[in-house]
Amino acid sequence: MSRRGLAAVASVLDQAASSATNILVLVLAARLSSAAGFADFSMVYVTFSVLLGLNMAYVGQSLVLEKGDRLGAECRSAVGFTAAASAVVGALLLLVGLALAGATGTAFLALGLVLPLVLLQDGLRYCFSALHAPERALAADALRLACVVAVLAVQPEGASAGRLVLAWGLSALPALALGLWLLRPYVRGVRGDLRPYLRRGHLGQRFVVEFAVGNGSSQLAVLGLGVFATPLAVGALRGATTLFGPLNVLFNSANAFGPPVLGRLGGKRATVRATAALGLVLAAVGAGWATALYLLPDRLGRELLGDTWAGASALLPATGAQYAVMGLGTCALLTLRVLAPKATLSLQVVFSLLSVGLLLGGYAVWGVAGAAWGLAAGSALKALAAWWRVTRLPAAAGSRDTEPVAAA
């Protein structure tokens, strides 16, 4: 196998390791916690997911577009900015934890303490991606997976959300140390500069907007359910989506490796045929996975999610429908990224905000099940609009639009 092929395999395996870490963290936390305890843990983990996505958008996505001889300096700058920014946000989370009462406040205190560790460890993946060394990211992320599973597996049943958050965060230390050691040869003797990250017009600012409207808005809406409605709603929604974690690996891999392959097909018709076929396959896989989970005996479900299974299992039809249409929507947006990258932002803004409205409206009318079906309806409408936009593209789409697909 060529070096490029090995790099692609390492990238896919690294994405799988990272996704498996997120899935197993939630599964183990659900098994160890009561429904109320997992609800508190989910509130914190949703907050972390939003912060992780913002860091990925602002630092990671702009870093992987860098080229040339200054990659070492750019990586050192990215690491330095992530460390500084996460320390500031961690301090703010400590204040939030002090302001909140009970187990939820303690869990946010724990997140504030460990946030610099987990964000910095994850951020190293983008350094290795920019440096074309995905095998180093895979080594660090595989160690992260092993450590977090080992640490959470020995926690006592009924452990508090704060204890689980602290254990999860501190388990990142070995992987962080390994990642920094593997990065050292590339950054030795170069100086970092944090000022570009603070300037107006930094490329990451656009990516933050796309993340905020495409993913962060729905995450914040789910978090809002826990603040203004009930944390149990967050636990049930998070438990249901955790079971569909393997599909996230497929969607992320399609987004990561699809554009270079599709870009070589040579035209709109060939690109649309390929993405439509892939979308149908992903939709079928999503529907099949949802069916298998729905037929899962309650005994096995409780083995996976503990007390949270009861609430999460009731949402499986809605969440399964959401993931089935997400397969179609992912491929529609992938088509636009290749053929007309500038077309994606407006779709993300309009239909992500619509999804938030449907989530909150569904909860107001039909409780947690309504929120889940609201998310499914929002994903279906986004997929429909994205494919309609694809049909409106001229036959020569993609031939003159030179904006990098990674920026879409």
Side-chain angles (χ1 to χ4, degrees):
M1 185 181 294
S2 67
R3 178 172 176 79
R4 181 175 296 180
L6 290 172
V9 170
S11 296
V12 172
L13 291 176
D14 180 56
Q15 179 62 55
S18 178
S19 297
T21 299
N22 292 328
I23 295 168
L24 290 175
V25 164
L26 290 165
V27 167
L28 289 170
R31 292 183 62 182
L32 291 168
S33 307
S34 64
F38 184 67
D40 288 329
F41 184 87
S42 296
M43 290 275 289
V44 171
Y45 208 77
V46 169
T47 302
F48 162 71
S49 298
V50 172
L51 295 174
L52 179 67
L54 290 173
N55 186 66
M56 174 271 294
Y58 196 81
V59 181
Q61 288 193 15
S62 59
L63 178 62
V64 297
L65 297 179
E66 297 289 346
K67 298 178 181 179
D69 298 331
R70 287 190 46 79
L71 274 178
E74 296 293 345
C75 288
R76 181 180 282 274
S77 300
V79 169
F81 179 81
T82 299
S86 59
V88 172
V89 176
L92 294 176
L93 287 173
L94 290 175
L95 295 177
V96 171
L98 291 173
L100 295 175
T104 304
T106 303
F108 274 98
L109 280 172
L111 179 61
L113 290 173
V114 302
L115 186 69
L117 301 179
V118 290
L119 283 188
L120 195 55
Q121 190 276 321
D122 186 85
L124 293 177
R125 298 170 57 215
Y126 299 97
C127 292
F128 293 126
S129 177
L131 294 165
H132 303 288
E135 69 282 354
R136 298 189 177 221
L138 175 59
D141 286 336
L143 180 60
R144 170 64 168 142
L145 174 59
C147 289
V148 75
V149 169
V151 168
L152 289 180
V154 299
Q155 299 304 309
E157 188 172 350
S160 68
R163 174 170 178 157
L164 293 177
V165 171
L166 200 60
W168 157 75
L170 292 177
S171 68
L173 274 171
L176 175 58
L178 176 62
L180 291 174
W181 180 73
L182 292 173
L183 183 65
R184 186 181 176 187
Y186 297 97
V187 300
R188 185 188 295 117
V190 299
R191 297 183 61 182
D193 184 4
L194 307 189
R195 289 174 297 179
Y197 288 99
L198 304 176
R199 291 173 185 156
R200 184 178 181 181
H202 174 63
L203 188 58
Q205 293 169 9
R206 169 181 172 167
F207 299 145
V208 163
V209 172
E210 290 227 8
F211 169 79
V213 298
N215 182 272
S217 56
S218 60
Q219 295 274 22
L220 289 172
V222 171
L223 189 62
L225 289 181
V227 174
F228 300 108
T230 168
L232 291 175
V234 180
L237 286 169
R238 179 56 91 177
T241 55
T242 297
L243 297 173
F244 288 85
L247 297 184
N248 289 328
V249 177
L250 295 179
F251 296 161
N252 291 336
S253 296
N255 281 322
F257 301 104
V261 175
L262 295 171
R264 292 195 292 267
L265 294 181
K268 175 188 173 182
R269 178 172 296 183
T271 300
V272 171
R273 283 179 177 175
T275 53
L278 178 60
L280 291 173
V281 170
L282 291 180
V285 170
W289 186 256
T291 302
L293 290 173
Y294 187 73
L295 297 176
L296 196 69
D298 284 343
R299 177 180 58 82
L300 295 178
R302 285 192 294 270
E303 287 292 321
L304 284 173
L305 294 181
D307 292 343
T308 304
W309 169 255
S313 61
L315 306 182
L316 287 176
T319 307
Q322 179 191 0
Y323 271 83
V325 296
M326 278 173 62
L328 293 170
T330 294
C331 291
L333 291 172
L334 181 60
T335 309
L336 292 174
R337 285 172 184 166
V338 173
L339 299 178
K342 295 177 182 178
T344 60
L345 181 58
S346 59
L347 282 169
Q348 293 279 31
V349 170
V350 172
F351 287 94
S352 294
L353 294 178
L354 178 61
S355 292
V356 171
L358 290 171
L359 180 151
L360 297 176
Y363 182 83
V365 174
W366 196 12
V368 182
W373 279 111
L375 285 173
S379 295
L381 291 172
K382 182 188 288 189
L384 184 63
W387 278 114
W388 179 83
R389 182 68 179 84
V390 169
T391 65
R392 305 291 294 177
L393 293 176
S399 62
R400 293 181 300 274
D401 196 336
T402 59
E403 182 178 333
V405 294

